[in-house]
Amino acid sequence: MKIKPYIHNESSLAYSVGETLDRFIKKKQDDFTYASGELSQLLRDIALATKIVNRETNRAGLANIGGAFGQTNVQGEEQQKLDVIANIRFTRALTKGGEVCAVVSEEDDEVIDLQNSSGKYVVAIDPLDGSSNIDVNISIGTIFSIYRRVTPIGSPIQLEDIMQPGNKQVAAGYVLYGSSTMLVYTTGCGVNGFTYEQSLGEFFLSHPDMKAPNDGKVFSINEGGYNQFDQGLKNYLKVCKEREYSARYIGSLVADFHRNLLKGGIYIYPSNPKNPNGKLRLLYEANALAFIAEQAGASATDGENRILDIQPTSLHQRTPLFIGSSVMVKEAMSYLAKEKV
Ligand code: AHM
Ligand code: MG
């Protein structure tokens, strides 16, 4: 019998399709001798739910699953049918995967105890962010944070398992259902982005080791609320305009954040007298994106403090958000500070 070694053949007749998310997760797990595989399984569970939600969003216009569901969530916002569907899909995937003991979701007023006290992890999730954009075919997203529970495994979950500051996240990510669907995540060792290949039903590594430009020329803010902005923010926006920066705002946090992460820019959702903490939620919107931003070399603050150091005090707590290229975030904060003295 003759045996010959396999020689990798990069033929143009059968080009390599690249590295799948599954293989990447497995490889990263092998890099850490102490990793037990549960976090890897959890990330795969999220990826599976993502594929299903991607399918649902793609056919929303055909399947009578666009439009309002007819109920409001705990924040008093009208739920879309796809908000509800995505919430079910993610919660179900996390329940079946068995690694998670509790879920905090934008769509549920209370913590969901998955009745799996042996699960090591807690997940905070906005299953479908920017959902007012669904019916007009504009990019939407999913945002998730993963924490290790702090109380003993096997015991009932406690509030302290949930109310952890963002600096305790073990992983975080987002999915952008855009012109292509992308999943971007970090486990605290850099940020990697994967693009969904519909015909193969797989995510492939397309954006390895993502790094945000240190500075940028894009500002993303809903200027409809301008009259209510603090003077410091008004001054910063004036400077952006004097420098002829581009204004880009689609009203989908994930899409606005993703563009600025790749191209350089700042996303701002400020406080105003009516909403002193802005609109965005700390636990399942700001924290995950702040973790990713920092891992990519960008920054995230509430205008004064690092987002990741804010100790949450309530489940659906809101926070102002200044996130993006570090130089821009720093400059915006200095304008705010000048008006506060
Ligand atoms: P949602 O979680 O109800 O979808 O709200 C969050 C969204 C963000 O995606 C987006 O950046 C922001 O709300 C837009 O708000 P506004 O319409 O006030 O500009
Ligand atoms: Mg949201």
Side-chain angles (χ1 to χ4, degrees), residues 139-158:
S139 301
I140 45 182
T142 294
I143 309 171
F144 61 90
S145 289
I146 303 173
Y147 295 85
R148 208 169 273 124
R149 65 178 296 179
V150 291
T151 55
I153 294 162
S155 64
I157 57 143
Q158 304 291 331

Side-chain angles (χ1 to χ4, degrees), residues 77 106 126 129-130 222 249 251 253 267 269 279 281 285:
E77 296 156 348
E106 176 175 329
D126 182 350
D129 184 66
N222 182 347
Y249 187 79
L253 172 60
Y267 172 99
Y269 207 113
K279 175 182 185 188
R281 274 55 54 117
E285 291 175 329

Side-chain angles (χ1 to χ4, degrees), residues 73 75 77 83 106-107 126 128-133 143 221-222 249-254 256 267 269 279-281 284-285:
N73 64 16
Q75 5 254 331
E77 296 156 348
D83 280 328
E106 176 175 329
E107 303 307 330
D126 182 350
L128 212 53
D129 184 66
S131 50
S132 63
N133 281 330
I143 309 171
I221 183 167
N222 182 347
Y249 187 79
I250 192 86
S252 261
L253 172 60
V254 172
D256 283 314
Y267 172 99
Y269 207 113
K279 175 182 185 188
L280 301 173
R281 274 55 54 117
Y284 42 79
E285 291 175 329

